[in-house]
Structures are given as structure tokens and as C-alpha cells.
Amino acid sequence: MPELPEVEFAARIARRAVRGRVIAHVDVRHAAQRRALPVRAARSLAGDRVVRVERRAKYQLLRLASGRTLVVHFRMTGDWVVQRPGEGEPPHARIVIAFTDGSALVFDDPRALGSVTLVEQGNDALPALGPEATGRGFTAAWLQERAARRAVSIKAALLDQGVVAGVGNIYASEALWLARIDPRRRVDSLDASECARVVAAVKRVMRRALSRPARYYQVGADQLRFAVYDREGAPCRRCRTPIARLVQAGRSTYWCRTCQGLSPSPRRVRP
DNA sequence: ATAGGCCTGGAC
DNA sequence: GTCCAGGCCTAT
């Protein structure tokens, strides 16, 4: 589900639910999660306190009073469930962070691909990341510089977290449609004005998503949220051409062959 | 640059 | 049963 806007939304939920609370115990319920958070590490969390919750790209950082950091990544299907005292657990509870007041923050993750890791004070909590997709540092000049002589598509470049952080497969397609850029274009073939269009479009789709707190993505649900994603065969909102799907680097890309053609000047048809 | 792996559930 | 899925890492 989650790209930058959804993770931001989740971080706000976590912030409200856990800031200042003292951890009673942390239970790791799924063997796969134990690779990232071994039993020893989980056990060491008892008695620590969450002092604040930050977000960077698709990561959430739970800063602890001990100076350590819990780094959370939702991957495909992770999410928080806030559990009040006495409430039951969600069906796919993978990691339960229980607090001394009886409440809990539950990492719910059907596919169990997400991760929670404990990073000691002084160690890097995160890998190298490009500027935030919504940030001032993400500019046409930056994109062009990072794209120089790279033989990847613009679509793949947008998914590269070292180029721009927080964009995922859905909003990459959405942004390229908005910018009217063919997703198959080599990123180093974009000129300055095309880069500027892409950057503006990424920021626009991110901000739009941030302004409507849609927490979940569900296949087939709420088609109105997306212009092209998961709309193969449905009419383009600009020109009525059926939306096409292609696979790039193993991921689906949705696009409009007319609006996003390699040649300039797409025709526009009144809706 | 691409395929495969991690996992499970839902759609078909 | 088979195929597909919003992410990211590793190996080829």
C-alpha cells in the first residue's frame, strides 16, 4: 500500500499513539520478522520510551529515550493498528509493541515482507536516499544531474530511492501521466523543461494524496483516486484513449499512448 | 538491466 | 490450481 503520503499518514497515527509511552514488551510473532528484529533485540526494548516519531521517505523512525531507533518499513502490505487496552489483535499482527498503560502499537502485515529493525545510537538508521519527493531539494537540476548518462527509463529512475525518495509504483505512473512523459523514455534523454515537468508532477500527485488522507490502497476500489494506475482499458481522462499497461523492471506501468507519446503535442479531447 | 526471492491473500 | 500485487535486496 504505502508510498510517501500513506507512510506520512501512518506516522501521524503512530505519533499520536505512542509518543511518550513506555514499552512494556515487544513480541515478534512471525519468523520472517525475526531476521530483522531478533528476539534478543526485541527483549531489550522493554523499559525504553518512544520520544518521537519521524518519517523519511517510506521509513518511519521511532526515536527512543535510550538513543536507539526503531526503523520501520511497511514494504507492500504493512500498516499500524492502534490497540486500546483490552482490544483484540488484528488478523495479521506480526510485531506487537505493548506499552505499560495497556495499549499497543501493532505492526500488521499480511505478506510479512515489512520490517522493524533496531539501530543503535550513532549508527546510520537509513540507507542513502535522494531528496524527499515533496521537498525543495528535489529539482529539475537535481533530476537531470542524477540522470546523466543513465540508461534506465524515467519510470525506473523515479522508483530509485537514491534519485528521489518516497515515490512508488503507483505515483510514478500517475506523475508521468500528469507530466505527459512516455514512461519508456531513457531518463538521460529528458531535457530541462521535461525534467521540470516531471518534478512538478511528482510533487503535485504527492501533495494531492497527502491532502486526502486515504489510508489504504485496495485493488479495484476507489478508481477515482488514480488517473491511470490499475485502469488498463479504461478511457484516459484527457483524451479517452484506453489506458495501456506495460511491464518495466518487473513492475506494471500504466500510461496513455496518446498523451504520453514519444512525439510532442498530444491531442486533447474534451471530456 | 533483469530475474529471483522474500511472504501471503485475493482474484480468476 | 495459477497469477498477480504498492518494495527492496541480491545475484547474474
Side-chain angles (χ1 to χ4, degrees):
Chain A
M1 73 171 248
E3 302 184 27
L4 184 153
E6 294 79 21
V7 177
E8 172 60 25
F9 192 75
R12 288 176 195 169
I13 287 175
R15 202 166 286 141
R16 260 209 325 266
V18 310
R19 196 166 48 185
R21 302 232 158 114
V22 175
I23 296 171
H25 55 93
V26 174
D27 301 325
V28 185
R29 297 279 161 76
H30 194 292
Q33 323 275 23
R34 236 165 264 138
R35 283 195 294 271
L37 190 65
V39 174
R40 278 183 69 85
R43 215 178 275 143
S44 77
L45 287 162
D48 217 332
R49 184 166 48 87
V50 183
V51 293
R52 65 181 183 281
V53 177
E54 298 165 13
R55 182 197 57 77
R56 168 82 166 105
K58 301 173 196 170
Y59 295 89
Q60 294 171 76
L61 307 173
L62 275 56
R63 302 290 192 184
L64 305 176
S66 62
R68 302 177 296 174
T69 303
L70 272 175
V71 182
V72 178
H73 198 297
F74 282 171
R75 290 284 176 90
M76 306 281 255
T77 55
D79 198 11
W80 293 127
V81 173
V82 176
Q83 207 176 283
R84 305 263 179 99
E87 279 182 350
E89 268 177 27
H92 306 292
R94 303 307 189 197
I95 297 174
V96 178
I97 306 172
F99 299 99
T100 51
D101 67 352
S103 71
L105 184 65
V106 178
F107 185 78
D108 189 75
D109 185 10
R111 285 175 70 179
L113 294 174
S115 63
V116 175
T117 58
L118 182 60
V119 177
E120 294 298 322
Q121 186 163 30
N123 293 356
D124 286 339
L126 299 176
L129 295 165
E132 287 283 298
T134 49
R136 292 203 164 279
F138 182 43
T139 63
W142 165 267
L143 177 58
Q144 211 159 17
E145 184 198 314
R146 287 304 313 258
R149 295 176 303 283
R150 288 198 56 194
V152 299
S153 66
I154 175 62
K155 165 74 176 343
L158 289 178
L159 293 179
D160 181 341
Q161 302 298 298
V163 172
V164 54
V167 179
N169 202 40
I170 292 178
Y171 295 125
S173 282
E174 294 293 298
L176 290 174
W177 177 83
L178 201 58
R180 301 176 190 245
I181 299 288
D182 189 317
R184 302 167 300 173
R185 290 272 300 276
R186 264 176 66 133
V187 63
D188 60 1
S189 78
L190 301 191
D191 66 24
S193 86
E194 289 172 325
C195 285
R197 264 154 58 201
V198 170
V199 169
V202 166
K203 293 185 176 183
R204 197 156 160 209
V205 298
M206 289 287 158
R207 292 196 178 129
R208 191 181 299 164
L210 280 164
S211 73
R212 323 174 179 172
R215 193 171 177 192
Y216 300 100
Y217 165 74
Q218 286 145 21
V219 171
D222 199 6
Q223 284 278 309
L224 296 176
R225 275 180 64 202
F226 305 122
V228 289
Y229 183 79
D230 201 26
R231 294 188 68 236
E232 183 178 15
C236 170
R237 299 224 171 113
R238 281 193 300 242
C239 75
R240 301 287 156 208
T241 302
I243 297 300
R245 187 180 84 95
L246 68 95
V247 174
Q248 297 179 284
R251 326 279 313 269
S252 287
T253 301
Y254 296 87
W255 63 301
C256 174
R257 294 177 179 286
T258 304
C259 292
Q260 298 169 257
L262 281 169
S263 57
S265 75
R267 294 220 320 272
R268 193 193 253 267
V269 173
R270 197 153 287 158

